[in-house]
PDB file of all heavy atoms in Angstrom:
ATOM      1  N   ARG A 306       1.693   4.682 -10.389  1.00 97.00           N
ATOM      2  CA  ARG A 306       0.989   4.485 -11.697  1.00 97.00           C
ATOM      3  C   ARG A 306      -0.362   5.206 -11.652  1.00 97.00           C
ATOM      4  O   ARG A 306      -1.173   4.994 -10.728  1.00 97.00           O
ATOM      5  CB  ARG A 306       0.748   2.970 -11.875  1.00 97.00           C
ATOM      6  CG  ARG A 306       2.002   2.160 -12.173  1.00 97.00           C
ATOM      7  CD  ARG A 306       1.707   0.750 -12.477  1.00 97.00           C
ATOM      8  NE  ARG A 306       2.839  -0.047 -12.787  1.00 97.00           N
ATOM      9  CZ  ARG A 306       3.544  -0.761 -11.950  1.00 97.00           C
ATOM     10  NH1 ARG A 306       3.056  -0.928 -10.711  1.00 97.00           N
ATOM     11  NH2 ARG A 306       4.540  -1.531 -12.366  1.00 97.00           N
ATOM     12  N   ALA A 307      -0.605   5.933 -12.675  1.00 98.00           N
ATOM     13  CA  ALA A 307      -1.815   6.794 -12.825  1.00 98.00           C
ATOM     14  C   ALA A 307      -3.084   5.904 -12.793  1.00 98.00           C
ATOM     15  O   ALA A 307      -4.106   6.208 -12.125  1.00 98.00           O
ATOM     16  CB  ALA A 307      -1.769   7.686 -13.957  1.00 98.00           C
ATOM     17  N   GLU A 308      -3.037   4.809 -13.571  1.00 98.00           N
ATOM     18  CA  GLU A 308      -4.264   3.968 -13.687  1.00 98.00           C
ATOM     19  C   GLU A 308      -4.527   3.342 -12.354  1.00 98.00           C
ATOM     20  O   GLU A 308      -5.708   3.215 -11.945  1.00 98.00           O
ATOM     21  CB  GLU A 308      -4.080   2.942 -14.798  1.00 98.00           C
ATOM     22  CG  GLU A 308      -5.273   2.131 -14.953  1.00 98.00           C
ATOM     23  CD  GLU A 308      -6.541   2.854 -15.507  1.00 98.00           C
ATOM     24  OE1 GLU A 308      -6.500   4.054 -15.696  1.00 98.00           O
ATOM     25  OE2 GLU A 308      -7.625   2.141 -15.549  1.00 98.00           O
ATOM     26  N   THR A 309      -3.530   2.832 -11.615  1.00 98.00           N
ATOM     27  CA  THR A 309      -3.789   2.246 -10.313  1.00 98.00           C
ATOM     28  C   THR A 309      -4.366   3.264  -9.393  1.00 98.00           C
ATOM     29  O   THR A 309      -5.226   2.948  -8.634  1.00 98.00           O
ATOM     30  CB  THR A 309      -2.501   1.670  -9.784  1.00 98.00           C
ATOM     31  OG1 THR A 309      -1.959   0.648 -10.642  1.00 98.00           O
ATOM     32  CG2 THR A 309      -2.738   1.046  -8.362  1.00 98.00           C
ATOM     33  N   ALA A 310      -3.821   4.504  -9.419  1.00 98.00           N
ATOM     34  CA  ALA A 310      -4.396   5.587  -8.580  1.00 98.00           C
ATOM     35  C   ALA A 310      -5.835   5.837  -8.938  1.00 98.00           C
ATOM     36  O   ALA A 310      -6.667   5.930  -7.989  1.00 98.00           O
ATOM     37  CB  ALA A 310      -3.522   6.826  -8.785  1.00 98.00           C
ATOM     38  N   ARG A 311      -6.119   5.902 -10.192  1.00 98.00           N
ATOM     39  CA  ARG A 311      -7.533   6.139 -10.553  1.00 98.00           C
ATOM     40  C   ARG A 311      -8.467   5.055 -10.050  1.00 98.00           C
ATOM     41  O   ARG A 311      -9.485   5.389  -9.470  1.00 98.00           O
ATOM     42  CB  ARG A 311      -7.627   6.271 -12.074  1.00 98.00           C
ATOM     43  CG  ARG A 311      -9.017   6.725 -12.571  1.00 98.00           C
ATOM     44  CD  ARG A 311      -9.133   6.583 -14.119  1.00 98.00           C
ATOM     45  NE  ARG A 311      -9.036   5.232 -14.594  1.00 98.00           N
ATOM     46  CZ  ARG A 311     -10.095   4.423 -14.594  1.00 98.00           C
ATOM     47  NH1 ARG A 311     -11.266   4.798 -14.115  1.00 98.00           N
ATOM     48  NH2 ARG A 311      -9.952   3.229 -15.093  1.00 98.00           N
ATOM     49  N   LEU A 312      -8.066   3.881 -10.277  1.00 98.00           N
ATOM     50  CA  LEU A 312      -8.928   2.719  -9.896  1.00 98.00           C
ATOM     51  C   LEU A 312      -9.010   2.684  -8.283  1.00 98.00           C
ATOM     52  O   LEU A 312     -10.086   2.323  -7.800  1.00 98.00           O
ATOM     53  CB  LEU A 312      -8.411   1.403 -10.367  1.00 98.00           C
ATOM     54  CG  LEU A 312      -8.509   1.295 -11.920  1.00 98.00           C
ATOM     55  CD1 LEU A 312      -7.727   0.041 -12.354  1.00 98.00           C
ATOM     56  CD2 LEU A 312      -9.943   1.149 -12.363  1.00 98.00           C
ATOM     57  N   ALA A 313      -7.954   2.966  -7.652  1.00 98.00           N
ATOM     58  CA  ALA A 313      -7.958   2.915  -6.181  1.00 98.00           C
ATOM     59  C   ALA A 313      -8.882   3.996  -5.597  1.00 98.00           C
ATOM     60  O   ALA A 313      -9.604   3.732  -4.624  1.00 98.00           O
ATOM     61  CB  ALA A 313      -6.519   3.088  -5.678  1.00 98.00           C
ATOM     62  N   ILE A 314      -8.856   5.190  -6.172  1.00 98.00           N
ATOM     63  CA  ILE A 314      -9.729   6.231  -5.719  1.00 98.00           C
ATOM     64  C   ILE A 314     -11.236   5.835  -5.924  1.00 98.00           C
ATOM     65  O   ILE A 314     -12.059   6.018  -5.022  1.00 98.00           O
ATOM     66  CB  ILE A 314      -9.419   7.523  -6.377  1.00 98.00           C
ATOM     67  CG1 ILE A 314      -7.993   8.053  -6.002  1.00 98.00           C
ATOM     68  CG2 ILE A 314     -10.409   8.690  -6.059  1.00 98.00           C
ATOM     69  CD1 ILE A 314      -7.478   9.149  -6.840  1.00 98.00           C
ATOM     70  N   SER A 315     -11.463   5.263  -7.107  1.00 98.00           N
ATOM     71  CA  SER A 315     -12.787   4.722  -7.351  1.00 98.00           C
ATOM     72  C   SER A 315     -13.221   3.670  -6.329  1.00 98.00           C
ATOM     73  O   SER A 315     -14.458   3.560  -5.959  1.00 98.00           O
ATOM     74  CB  SER A 315     -12.927   4.167  -8.787  1.00 98.00           C
ATOM     75  OG  SER A 315     -12.717   5.163  -9.731  1.00 98.00           O
ATOM     76  N   ALA A 316     -12.234   2.860  -5.886  1.00 98.00           N
ATOM     77  CA  ALA A 316     -12.554   1.834  -4.950  1.00 98.00           C
ATOM     78  C   ALA A 316     -12.801   2.351  -3.529  1.00 98.00           C
ATOM     79  O   ALA A 316     -13.282   1.619  -2.641  1.00 98.00           O
ATOM     80  CB  ALA A 316     -11.440   0.769  -4.951  1.00 98.00           C
ATOM     81  N   GLY A 317     -12.323   3.546  -3.286  1.00 98.00           N
ATOM     82  CA  GLY A 317     -12.518   4.161  -1.967  1.00 98.00           C
ATOM     83  C   GLY A 317     -11.340   4.838  -1.335  1.00 98.00           C
ATOM     84  O   GLY A 317     -11.361   5.416  -0.304  1.00 98.00           O
ATOM     85  N   ALA A 318     -10.161   4.827  -2.047  1.00 98.00           N
ATOM     86  CA  ALA A 318      -8.950   5.495  -1.448  1.00 98.00           C
ATOM     87  C   ALA A 318      -9.194   7.020  -1.506  1.00 98.00           C
ATOM     88  O   ALA A 318      -9.752   7.548  -2.393  1.00 98.00           O
ATOM     89  CB  ALA A 318      -7.732   5.192  -2.262  1.00 98.00           C
ATOM     90  N   HIS A 319      -8.558   7.662  -0.493  1.00 98.00           N
ATOM     91  CA  HIS A 319      -8.694   9.135  -0.285  1.00 98.00           C
ATOM     92  C   HIS A 319      -7.402   9.808  -0.681  1.00 98.00           C
ATOM     93  O   HIS A 319      -7.436  11.069  -0.909  1.00 98.00           O
ATOM     94  CB  HIS A 319      -8.977   9.421   1.157  1.00 98.00           C
ATOM     95  CG  HIS A 319     -10.150   8.735   1.780  1.00 98.00           C
ATOM     96  ND1 HIS A 319     -10.050   7.493   2.340  1.00 98.00           N
ATOM     97  CD2 HIS A 319     -11.494   9.057   1.784  1.00 98.00           C
ATOM     98  CE1 HIS A 319     -11.224   7.082   2.786  1.00 98.00           C
ATOM     99  NE2 HIS A 319     -12.128   8.044   2.446  1.00 98.00           N
ATOM    100  N   ILE A 320      -6.236   9.129  -0.724  1.00 98.00           N
ATOM    101  CA  ILE A 320      -4.966   9.709  -0.841  1.00 98.00           C
ATOM    102  C   ILE A 320      -4.142   8.854  -1.858  1.00 98.00           C
ATOM    103  O   ILE A 320      -4.236   7.660  -1.854  1.00 98.00           O
ATOM    104  CB  ILE A 320      -4.178   9.765   0.523  1.00 98.00           C
ATOM    105  CG1 ILE A 320      -5.002  10.695   1.507  1.00 98.00           C
ATOM    106  CG2 ILE A 320      -2.756  10.222   0.342  1.00 98.00           C
ATOM    107  CD1 ILE A 320      -4.601  10.438   2.932  1.00 98.00           C
ATOM    108  N   VAL A 321      -3.320   9.557  -2.629  1.00 98.00           N
ATOM    109  CA  VAL A 321      -2.343   8.867  -3.480  1.00 98.00           C
ATOM    110  C   VAL A 321      -1.039   9.238  -2.961  1.00 98.00           C
ATOM    111  O   VAL A 321      -0.588  10.424  -2.819  1.00 98.00           O
ATOM    112  CB  VAL A 321      -2.490   9.326  -5.007  1.00 98.00           C
ATOM    113  CG1 VAL A 321      -1.435   8.506  -5.815  1.00 98.00           C
ATOM    114  CG2 VAL A 321      -3.842   9.038  -5.534  1.00 98.00           C
ATOM    115  N   ASN A 322      -0.197   8.187  -2.677  1.00 98.00           N
ATOM    116  CA  ASN A 322       1.204   8.315  -2.103  1.00 98.00           C
ATOM    117  C   ASN A 322       2.105   7.899  -3.233  1.00 98.00           C
ATOM    118  O   ASN A 322       2.308   6.709  -3.469  1.00 98.00           O
ATOM    119  CB  ASN A 322       1.327   7.443  -0.891  1.00 98.00           C
ATOM    120  CG  ASN A 322       2.706   7.460  -0.284  1.00 98.00           C
ATOM    121  OD1 ASN A 322       3.438   8.425  -0.542  1.00 98.00           O
ATOM    122  ND2 ASN A 322       3.046   6.518   0.535  1.00 98.00           N
ATOM    123  N   ASP A 323       2.794   8.898  -3.903  1.00 98.00           N
ATOM    124  CA  ASP A 323       3.574   8.607  -5.037  1.00 98.00           C
ATOM    125  C   ASP A 323       5.047   8.745  -4.694  1.00 98.00           C
ATOM    126  O   ASP A 323       5.557   9.876  -4.558  1.00 98.00           O
ATOM    127  CB  ASP A 323       3.189   9.648  -6.149  1.00 98.00           C
ATOM    128  CG  ASP A 323       3.957   9.385  -7.461  1.00 98.00           C
ATOM    129  OD1 ASP A 323       4.844   8.525  -7.503  1.00 98.00           O
ATOM    130  OD2 ASP A 323       3.686  10.092  -8.418  1.00 98.00           O
ATOM    131  N   VAL A 324       5.747   7.606  -4.754  1.00 96.00           N
ATOM    132  CA  VAL A 324       7.214   7.632  -4.383  1.00 96.00           C
ATOM    133  C   VAL A 324       8.070   8.284  -5.443  1.00 96.00           C
ATOM    134  O   VAL A 324       9.254   8.497  -5.184  1.00 96.00           O
ATOM    135  CB  VAL A 324       7.689   6.253  -3.990  1.00 96.00           C
ATOM    136  CG1 VAL A 324       6.963   5.714  -2.836  1.00 96.00           C
ATOM    137  CG2 VAL A 324       7.631   5.304  -5.180  1.00 96.00           C
ATOM    138  N   PHE A 325       7.501   8.582  -6.631  1.00 97.00           N
ATOM    139  CA  PHE A 325       8.293   9.241  -7.616  1.00 97.00           C
ATOM    140  C   PHE A 325       7.815  10.689  -7.759  1.00 97.00           C
ATOM    141  O   PHE A 325       8.133  11.414  -8.729  1.00 97.00           O
ATOM    142  CB  PHE A 325       8.187   8.532  -8.986  1.00 97.00           C
ATOM    143  CG  PHE A 325       9.094   7.382  -9.082  1.00 97.00           C
ATOM    144  CD1 PHE A 325       8.655   6.142  -8.837  1.00 97.00           C
ATOM    145  CD2 PHE A 325      10.464   7.499  -9.366  1.00 97.00           C
ATOM    146  CE1 PHE A 325       9.515   5.008  -8.884  1.00 97.00           C
ATOM    147  CE2 PHE A 325      11.292   6.438  -9.434  1.00 97.00           C
ATOM    148  CZ  PHE A 325      10.843   5.221  -9.204  1.00 97.00           C
ATOM    149  N   GLY A 326       7.035  11.190  -6.835  1.00 98.00           N
ATOM    150  CA  GLY A 326       6.713  12.621  -6.718  1.00 98.00           C
ATOM    151  C   GLY A 326       6.041  13.194  -7.976  1.00 98.00           C
ATOM    152  O   GLY A 326       6.388  14.366  -8.355  1.00 98.00           O
ATOM    153  N   LEU A 327       5.193  12.437  -8.663  1.00 98.00           N
ATOM    154  CA  LEU A 327       4.501  12.803  -9.850  1.00 98.00           C
ATOM    155  C   LEU A 327       5.379  12.875 -11.052  1.00 98.00           C
ATOM    156  O   LEU A 327       4.950  13.223 -12.165  1.00 98.00           O
ATOM    157  CB  LEU A 327       3.856  14.248  -9.704  1.00 98.00           C
ATOM    158  CG  LEU A 327       2.968  14.370  -8.446  1.00 98.00           C
ATOM    159  CD1 LEU A 327       2.402  15.885  -8.478  1.00 98.00           C
ATOM    160  CD2 LEU A 327       1.766  13.442  -8.370  1.00 98.00           C
ATOM    161  N   GLN A 328       6.626  12.489 -10.969  1.00 97.00           N
ATOM    162  CA  GLN A 328       7.573  12.642 -12.111  1.00 97.00           C
ATOM    163  C   GLN A 328       7.758  11.395 -12.882  1.00 97.00           C
ATOM    164  O   GLN A 328       8.462  11.471 -13.945  1.00 97.00           O
ATOM    165  CB  GLN A 328       8.905  13.187 -11.550  1.00 97.00           C
ATOM    166  CG  GLN A 328       8.722  14.570 -10.946  1.00 97.00           C
ATOM    167  CD  GLN A 328      10.069  15.263 -10.637  1.00 97.00           C
ATOM    168  OE1 GLN A 328      11.061  15.077 -11.285  1.00 97.00           O
ATOM    169  NE2 GLN A 328      10.079  15.996  -9.449  1.00 97.00           N
ATOM    170  N   ARG A 329       7.196  10.208 -12.426  1.00 97.00           N
ATOM    171  CA  ARG A 329       7.256   9.058 -13.310  1.00 97.00           C
ATOM    172  C   ARG A 329       5.992   9.000 -14.184  1.00 97.00           C
ATOM    173  O   ARG A 329       6.114   8.820 -15.371  1.00 97.00           O
ATOM    174  CB  ARG A 329       7.231   7.780 -12.382  1.00 97.00           C
ATOM    175  CG  ARG A 329       7.164   6.444 -13.144  1.00 97.00           C
ATOM    176  CD  ARG A 329       8.392   6.205 -14.002  1.00 97.00           C
ATOM    177  NE  ARG A 329       9.528   5.817 -13.208  1.00 97.00           N
ATOM    178  CZ  ARG A 329       9.863   4.562 -12.824  1.00 97.00           C
ATOM    179  NH1 ARG A 329       9.024   3.591 -13.036  1.00 97.00           N
ATOM    180  NH2 ARG A 329      10.937   4.393 -12.136  1.00 97.00           N
ATOM    181  N   GLU A 330       4.805   9.274 -13.626  1.00 98.00           N
ATOM    182  CA  GLU A 330       3.611   9.320 -14.338  1.00 98.00           C
ATOM    183  C   GLU A 330       2.814  10.628 -13.914  1.00 98.00           C
ATOM    184  O   GLU A 330       2.027  10.486 -13.009  1.00 98.00           O
ATOM    185  CB  GLU A 330       2.745   8.111 -14.144  1.00 98.00           C
ATOM    186  CG  GLU A 330       3.419   6.832 -14.794  1.00 98.00           C
ATOM    187  CD  GLU A 330       2.475   5.681 -14.979  1.00 98.00           C
ATOM    188  OE1 GLU A 330       1.260   5.865 -14.884  1.00 98.00           O
ATOM    189  OE2 GLU A 330       2.952   4.544 -15.178  1.00 98.00           O
ATOM    190  N   PRO A 331       3.084  11.782 -14.559  1.00 98.00           N
ATOM    191  CA  PRO A 331       2.498  12.988 -14.134  1.00 98.00           C
ATOM    192  C   PRO A 331       0.945  13.024 -14.220  1.00 98.00           C
ATOM    193  O   PRO A 331       0.327  13.853 -13.583  1.00 98.00           O
ATOM    194  CB  PRO A 331       3.093  14.006 -15.108  1.00 98.00           C
ATOM    195  CG  PRO A 331       4.422  13.366 -15.581  1.00 98.00           C
ATOM    196  CD  PRO A 331       4.151  11.906 -15.600  1.00 98.00           C
ATOM    197  N   ASP A 332       0.385  12.064 -14.916  1.00 98.00           N
ATOM    198  CA  ASP A 332      -1.085  12.029 -14.993  1.00 98.00           C
ATOM    199  C   ASP A 332      -1.741  11.807 -13.711  1.00 98.00           C
ATOM    200  O   ASP A 332      -2.948  12.117 -13.464  1.00 98.00           O
ATOM    201  CB  ASP A 332      -1.549  10.900 -15.956  1.00 98.00           C
ATOM    202  CG  ASP A 332      -1.371  11.243 -17.445  1.00 98.00           C
ATOM    203  OD1 ASP A 332      -1.031  12.392 -17.712  1.00 98.00           O
ATOM    204  OD2 ASP A 332      -1.501  10.345 -18.356  1.00 98.00           O
ATOM    205  N   ILE A 333      -0.992  11.323 -12.675  1.00 98.00           N
ATOM    206  CA  ILE A 333      -1.492  11.217 -11.316  1.00 98.00           C
ATOM    207  C   ILE A 333      -1.985  12.565 -10.806  1.00 98.00           C
ATOM    208  O   ILE A 333      -3.006  12.655 -10.091  1.00 98.00           O
ATOM    209  CB  ILE A 333      -0.483  10.616 -10.373  1.00 98.00           C
ATOM    210  CG1 ILE A 333      -0.292   9.114 -10.598  1.00 98.00           C
ATOM    211  CG2 ILE A 333      -0.834  10.865  -8.870  1.00 98.00           C
ATOM    212  CD1 ILE A 333       0.727   8.503  -9.702  1.00 98.00           C
ATOM    213  N   ALA A 334      -1.256  13.631 -11.207  1.00 98.00           N
ATOM    214  CA  ALA A 334      -1.736  14.928 -10.808  1.00 98.00           C
ATOM    215  C   ALA A 334      -3.050  15.331 -11.366  1.00 98.00           C
ATOM    216  O   ALA A 334      -3.909  15.885 -10.710  1.00 98.00           O
ATOM    217  CB  ALA A 334      -0.668  16.016 -11.131  1.00 98.00           C
ATOM    218  N   ASP A 335      -3.277  14.968 -12.618  1.00 98.00           N
ATOM    219  CA  ASP A 335      -4.541  15.227 -13.222  1.00 98.00           C
ATOM    220  C   ASP A 335      -5.673  14.478 -12.531  1.00 98.00           C
ATOM    221  O   ASP A 335      -6.789  14.977 -12.282  1.00 98.00           O
ATOM    222  CB  ASP A 335      -4.580  14.782 -14.745  1.00 98.00           C
ATOM    223  CG  ASP A 335      -3.571  15.667 -15.616  1.00 98.00           C
ATOM    224  OD1 ASP A 335      -3.389  16.800 -15.257  1.00 98.00           O
ATOM    225  OD2 ASP A 335      -3.066  15.097 -16.570  1.00 98.00           O
ATOM    226  N   ILE A 336      -5.407  13.248 -12.181  1.00 98.00           N
ATOM    227  CA  ILE A 336      -6.440  12.373 -11.494  1.00 98.00           C
ATOM    228  C   ILE A 336      -6.693  13.008 -10.126  1.00 98.00           C
ATOM    229  O   ILE A 336      -7.854  13.103  -9.762  1.00 98.00           O
ATOM    230  CB  ILE A 336      -5.930  10.980 -11.391  1.00 98.00           C
ATOM    231  CG1 ILE A 336      -5.883  10.324 -12.770  1.00 98.00           C
ATOM    232  CG2 ILE A 336      -6.757  10.133 -10.454  1.00 98.00           C
ATOM    233  CD1 ILE A 336      -5.099   9.043 -12.848  1.00 98.00           C
ATOM    234  N   ALA A 337      -5.686  13.449  -9.402  1.00 98.00           N
ATOM    235  CA  ALA A 337      -5.935  14.054  -8.124  1.00 98.00           C
ATOM    236  C   ALA A 337      -6.749  15.345  -8.269  1.00 98.00           C
ATOM    237  O   ALA A 337      -7.668  15.572  -7.466  1.00 98.00           O
ATOM    238  CB  ALA A 337      -4.589  14.342  -7.429  1.00 98.00           C
ATOM    239  N   ALA A 338      -6.438  16.113  -9.282  1.00 98.00           N
ATOM    240  CA  ALA A 338      -7.214  17.387  -9.489  1.00 98.00           C
ATOM    241  C   ALA A 338      -8.683  17.127  -9.714  1.00 98.00           C
ATOM    242  O   ALA A 338      -9.579  17.784  -9.242  1.00 98.00           O
ATOM    243  CB  ALA A 338      -6.560  18.156 -10.605  1.00 98.00           C
ATOM    244  N   VAL A 339      -8.955  16.154 -10.586  1.00 98.00           N
ATOM    245  CA  VAL A 339     -10.357  15.807 -10.965  1.00 98.00           C
ATOM    246  C   VAL A 339     -11.140  15.235  -9.786  1.00 98.00           C
ATOM    247  O   VAL A 339     -12.299  15.545  -9.537  1.00 98.00           O
ATOM    248  CB  VAL A 339     -10.343  14.933 -12.151  1.00 98.00           C
ATOM    249  CG1 VAL A 339     -11.779  14.323 -12.426  1.00 98.00           C
ATOM    250  CG2 VAL A 339      -9.882  15.608 -13.392  1.00 98.00           C
ATOM    251  N   THR A 340     -10.438  14.305  -9.072  1.00 98.00           N
ATOM    252  CA  THR A 340     -11.176  13.622  -7.967  1.00 98.00           C
ATOM    253  C   THR A 340     -11.164  14.243  -6.615  1.00 98.00           C
ATOM    254  O   THR A 340     -11.901  13.926  -5.714  1.00 98.00           O
ATOM    255  CB  THR A 340     -10.592  12.169  -7.838  1.00 98.00           C
ATOM    256  OG1 THR A 340      -9.152  12.285  -7.389  1.00 98.00           O
ATOM    257  CG2 THR A 340     -10.687  11.401  -9.083  1.00 98.00           C
ATOM    258  N   GLY A 341     -10.200  15.229  -6.471  1.00 98.00           N
ATOM    259  CA  GLY A 341      -9.970  15.857  -5.199  1.00 98.00           C
ATOM    260  C   GLY A 341      -9.196  15.045  -4.187  1.00 98.00           C
ATOM    261  O   GLY A 341      -9.150  15.328  -2.915  1.00 98.00           O
ATOM    262  N   ALA A 342      -8.568  13.941  -4.651  1.00 98.00           N
ATOM    263  CA  ALA A 342      -7.702  13.098  -3.764  1.00 98.00           C
ATOM    264  C   ALA A 342      -6.583  13.889  -3.207  1.00 98.00           C
ATOM    265  O   ALA A 342      -6.058  14.815  -3.755  1.00 98.00           O
ATOM    266  CB  ALA A 342      -7.214  11.939  -4.542  1.00 98.00           C
ATOM    267  N   GLY A 343      -6.157  13.555  -1.940  1.00 98.00           N
ATOM    268  CA  GLY A 343      -4.933  14.051  -1.358  1.00 98.00           C
ATOM    269  C   GLY A 343      -3.714  13.473  -2.005  1.00 98.00           C
ATOM    270  O   GLY A 343      -3.819  12.406  -2.676  1.00 98.00           O
ATOM    271  N   LEU A 344      -2.625  14.201  -1.942  1.00 98.00           N
ATOM    272  CA  LEU A 344      -1.392  13.728  -2.518  1.00 98.00           C
ATOM    273  C   LEU A 344      -0.276  13.723  -1.530  1.00 98.00           C
ATOM    274  O   LEU A 344      -0.039  14.710  -0.870  1.00 98.00           O
ATOM    275  CB  LEU A 344      -0.954  14.577  -3.715  1.00 98.00           C
ATOM    276  CG  LEU A 344      -1.626  14.417  -5.116  1.00 98.00           C
ATOM    277  CD1 LEU A 344      -1.059  15.462  -6.040  1.00 98.00           C
ATOM    278  CD2 LEU A 344      -1.349  12.974  -5.557  1.00 98.00           C
ATOM    279  N   CYS A 345       0.455  12.616  -1.449  1.00 98.00           N
ATOM    280  CA  CYS A 345       1.796  12.622  -0.797  1.00 98.00           C
ATOM    281  C   CYS A 345       2.775  12.629  -1.866  1.00 98.00           C
ATOM    282  O   CYS A 345       2.881  11.755  -2.695  1.00 98.00           O
ATOM    283  CB  CYS A 345       1.936  11.382   0.023  1.00 98.00           C
ATOM    284  SG  CYS A 345       0.875  11.214   1.505  1.00 98.00           S
ATOM    285  N   ILE A 346       3.532  13.673  -1.978  1.00 98.00           N
ATOM    286  CA  ILE A 346       4.579  13.858  -3.035  1.00 98.00           C
ATOM    287  C   ILE A 346       5.909  13.566  -2.445  1.00 98.00           C
ATOM    288  O   ILE A 346       6.371  14.391  -1.527  1.00 98.00           O
ATOM    289  CB  ILE A 346       4.517  15.236  -3.623  1.00 98.00           C
ATOM    290  CG1 ILE A 346       3.216  15.465  -4.359  1.00 98.00           C
ATOM    291  CG2 ILE A 346       5.760  15.483  -4.541  1.00 98.00           C
ATOM    292  CD1 ILE A 346       3.039  16.929  -4.880  1.00 98.00           C
ATOM    293  N   MET A 347       6.547  12.540  -2.820  1.00 98.00           N
ATOM    294  CA  MET A 347       7.858  12.119  -2.163  1.00 98.00           C
ATOM    295  C   MET A 347       9.019  12.468  -3.051  1.00 98.00           C
ATOM    296  O   MET A 347       8.945  12.327  -4.233  1.00 98.00           O
ATOM    297  CB  MET A 347       7.841  10.540  -1.918  1.00 98.00           C
ATOM    298  CG  MET A 347       8.911  10.203  -0.954  1.00 98.00           C
ATOM    299  SD  MET A 347       9.188   8.401  -0.893  1.00 98.00           S
ATOM    300  CE  MET A 347      10.313   8.239  -2.299  1.00 98.00           C
ATOM    301  N   HIS A 348      10.066  12.901  -2.442  1.00 98.00           N
ATOM    302  CA  HIS A 348      11.360  13.090  -3.088  1.00 98.00           C
ATOM    303  C   HIS A 348      12.115  11.809  -3.282  1.00 98.00           C
ATOM    304  O   HIS A 348      12.066  10.918  -2.437  1.00 98.00           O
ATOM    305  CB  HIS A 348      12.216  14.034  -2.200  1.00 98.00           C
ATOM    306  CG  HIS A 348      13.621  14.151  -2.636  1.00 98.00           C
ATOM    307  ND1 HIS A 348      14.570  13.244  -2.495  1.00 98.00           N
ATOM    308  CD2 HIS A 348      14.270  15.165  -3.329  1.00 98.00           C
ATOM    309  CE1 HIS A 348      15.752  13.611  -2.995  1.00 98.00           C
ATOM    310  NE2 HIS A 348      15.546  14.819  -3.518  1.00 98.00           N
ATOM    311  N   THR A 349      12.694  11.578  -4.380  1.00 96.00           N
ATOM    312  CA  THR A 349      13.551  10.476  -4.589  1.00 96.00           C
ATOM    313  C   THR A 349      14.764  10.899  -5.428  1.00 96.00           C
ATOM    314  O   THR A 349      14.722  11.802  -6.209  1.00 96.00           O
ATOM    315  CB  THR A 349      12.804   9.333  -5.378  1.00 96.00           C
ATOM    316  OG1 THR A 349      13.707   8.214  -5.424  1.00 96.00           O
ATOM    317  CG2 THR A 349      12.401   9.712  -6.759  1.00 96.00           C
ATOM    318  N   GLY A 350      15.852  10.182  -5.188  1.00 94.00           N
ATOM    319  CA  GLY A 350      17.066  10.338  -5.980  1.00 94.00           C
ATOM    320  C   GLY A 350      17.291   9.320  -7.012  1.00 94.00           C
ATOM    321  O   GLY A 350      18.271   9.284  -7.724  1.00 94.00           O
TER     322      GLY A 350
END
């Protein structure tokens, strides 16, 4: 979830681990780009 990611980074998180590989809520990528957070992009079927 992009909003959870945004709030978590504000709270101190350094990395977003997305089990849908940015394909459920692509706004996570925008948040990572703006904040400089690391991304774990996971494959799912």
Side-chain angles (χ1 to χ4, degrees):
R306 293 187 175 96
E308 181 63 7
T309 300
R311 185 186 68 79
L312 292 171
I314 294 166
S315 294
H319 307 90
I320 297 162
V321 181
N322 179 19
D323 182 357
V324 299
F325 282 96
L327 309 179
Q328 296 186 38
R329 175 68 72 87
E330 294 196 14
D332 287 351
I333 285 180
D335 294 331
I336 291 164
V339 169
T340 62
L344 278 179
C345 292
I346 295 176
M347 197 193 82
H348 172 282
T349 185

